[in-house]
């Protein structure tokens, strides 16, 4: 999709990897953008091979893989480890890595240092950060340093404690207007796309119509320019978590439990390994 490698890029750089410019162009052409999370090379290769446009190495790794209650414990080191794994497992999708809690909130200078470390060490194409107008100067500083940024407004899990829990955003008096203002400020600062999380379809539609950059919805209705889900949720691997906006496209937790129980039975009654799975 992207153009020729620019001078300074190695000739082995995959010219077909989706770029941030490709993502912005998709809004203009009206092609819906498909994004999923991945945290490791194996799943990333499967997701990439199935043709998604972007893969998000979300700080949701802390809750989905590490069993934490929130995303707050995710560290820079973990995001680099998972980001590098995902980048290595993919050849086509644009890989976006979340900036973890406290890696960008303190100062734009900190944000540039930490996001720069992520880009250098993972090879990913962009970072994502949560928050509205307050973070516009940070987004600008990152872009000035050559780091593409995806914004994230609405329900922002890193601010869970100040938001008072997991709840639909944009409903309180003046809140929808503040959300629009946040989205416009991030666009003006140079973000190439925005995640809209957990808000009414009407608010997300209005934000989507006002922006020239694409919106990627999660729990934000059908009018966004694209959609993102957590891979483990949509595959039905994470059966402890069910939100209304998550559609399960497979029931892999059942498949895993069934396979493990079958292995255990066969080991216990001596059917595994059989002659097909043993050396003579
Ligand atoms: O961390 C994450 O997986 C995310 C998505 C839910 C958008 O931010």
């Amino acid at each position: 999709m992207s153009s020729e490698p620019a001078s300074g890029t190695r000739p082995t750089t995959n010219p077909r990897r989706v770029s941030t410019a490709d993502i912005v162009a998709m809004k203009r052409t009206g092609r819906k953008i498909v994004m999923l999370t991945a945290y490791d090379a194996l799943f990333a290769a499967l997701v990439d091979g199935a043709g998604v446009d972007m893969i998000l190495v979300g700080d949701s790794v802390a809750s989905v893989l590490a069993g934490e209650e929130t995303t707050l414990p995710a560290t820079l080191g973990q995001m680099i480890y998972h980001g590098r794994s995902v980048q290595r497992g993919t050849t086509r999708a644009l890989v976006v890595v979340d900036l973890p809690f406290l890696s960008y909130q303190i100062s734009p200078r900190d944000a540039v240092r930490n996001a720069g470390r992520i880009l250098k060490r993972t090879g990913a194409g962009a970072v994502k950060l949560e928050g509205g107008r307050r973070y516009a100067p940070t987004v600008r500083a990152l872009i000035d340093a050559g780091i593409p940024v995806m914004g994230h407004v609405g329900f922002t899990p890193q601010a869970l404690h100040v938001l008072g829990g997991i709840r639909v955003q944009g409903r309180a008096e003046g809140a929808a207007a503040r959300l629009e203002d946040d989205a416009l400020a991030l666009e003006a600062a140079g973000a190439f796309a925005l995640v809209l999380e957990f808000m009414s379809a009407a608010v997300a539609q209005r934000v989507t119509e006002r922006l020239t950059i694409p919106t990627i919805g999660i729990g934000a209705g059908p009018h966004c320019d694209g959609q993102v889900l957590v891979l483990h949720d949509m595959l039905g691997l994470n059966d402890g978590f069910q939100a209304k906006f998550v559609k399960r496209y497979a029931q892999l937790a059942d498949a895993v439990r069934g396979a493990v129980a079958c292995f255990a039975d066969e080991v216990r009654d001596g059917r595994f390994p059989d002659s097909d799975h043993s050396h003579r």
Side-chain angles (χ1 to χ4, degrees):
M1 274 181 120
S2 28
S3 49
E4 293 296 297
S7 72
T9 57
R10 290 188 307 151
T12 50
T13 299
N14 180 3
R16 288 189 56 253
R17 201 180 271 278
V18 177
S19 68
T20 55
D22 293 328
I23 297 298
V24 177
M26 287 170 76
K27 176 159 183 146
R28 285 199 300 273
T29 58
R31 181 158 160 234
K32 289 274 188 180
I33 300 163
V34 181
M35 183 168 176
L36 282 170
T37 61
Y39 313 118
D40 62 81
L42 185 80
F43 270 117
L46 294 172
V47 169
D48 193 43
V52 305
D53 303 304
M54 288 191 280
I55 297 183
L56 173 65
V57 185
D59 59 356
S60 53
V61 66
S63 39
V64 178
L65 289 198
E68 302 283 1
E69 268 184 39
T70 71
T71 59
L72 274 62
T75 66
L76 194 65
Q78 285 166 345
M79 297 316 298
I80 289 171
Y81 171 84
H82 292 288
R84 185 159 166 69
S85 305
V86 168
Q87 181 72 18
R88 265 198 236 120
T90 57
T91 57
R92 190 184 166 279
L94 173 65
V95 175
V96 181
V97 180
D98 257 341
L99 293 181
F101 182 55
L102 286 195
S103 69
Y104 63 94
Q105 284 90 343
I106 296 166
S107 69
R109 200 179 150 85
D110 253 20
V112 171
R113 187 180 304 111
N114 291 325
R117 207 171 279 165
I118 288 179
L119 247 57
K120 268 167 110 74
R121 311 244 313 250
T122 65
V127 297
K128 174 167 82 59
L129 61 76
E130 297 179 8
R133 175 172 287 283
R134 197 161 97 70
Y135 289 99
T138 305
V139 170
R140 172 52 54 209
L142 288 166
I143 288 157
D144 286 349
I147 303 168
V149 184
M150 174 180 280
H152 182 155
V153 298
F155 178 68
T156 47
Q158 292 181 16
L160 171 80
H161 300 303
V162 288
L163 294 176
I166 303 172
R167 52 186 64 182
V168 177
Q169 300 298 301
R171 281 199 170 145
E173 177 76 30
R178 276 197 300 279
L179 263 175
E180 273 180 55
D181 177 66
D182 282 338
L184 288 165
L186 293 168
E187 172 175 82
F192 74 93
L194 281 194
V195 167
L196 305 184
E197 181 163 355
F198 214 26
M199 64 185 69
S200 77
V203 173
Q205 179 172 18
R206 171 121 180 104
V207 171
T208 300
E209 285 169 358
R210 291 202 65 192
L211 295 184
T212 58
I213 57 168
T215 59
I216 316 291
I218 176 163
H223 308 296
C224 298
D225 299 302
Q227 297 290 329
V228 57
L229 283 176
V230 170
L231 181 69
H232 293 62
D233 297 342
M234 61 84 80
L235 291 179
L237 267 167
N238 192 5
D239 55 8
F241 176 77
Q242 181 64 68
K244 186 172 176 228
F245 61 80
V246 175
K247 179 168 175 185
R248 288 202 176 136
Y249 289 83
Q251 298 293 342
L252 293 195
D254 293 339
V256 171
R257 276 189 290 264
V260 172
C262 191
F263 172 67
D265 286 349
E266 291 195 3
V267 169
R268 287 180 185 131
D269 65 18
R271 279 181 292 144
F272 181 84
D274 54 18
S275 56
D276 287 347
H277 299 94
S278 309
H279 296 295
R280 264 184 276 150

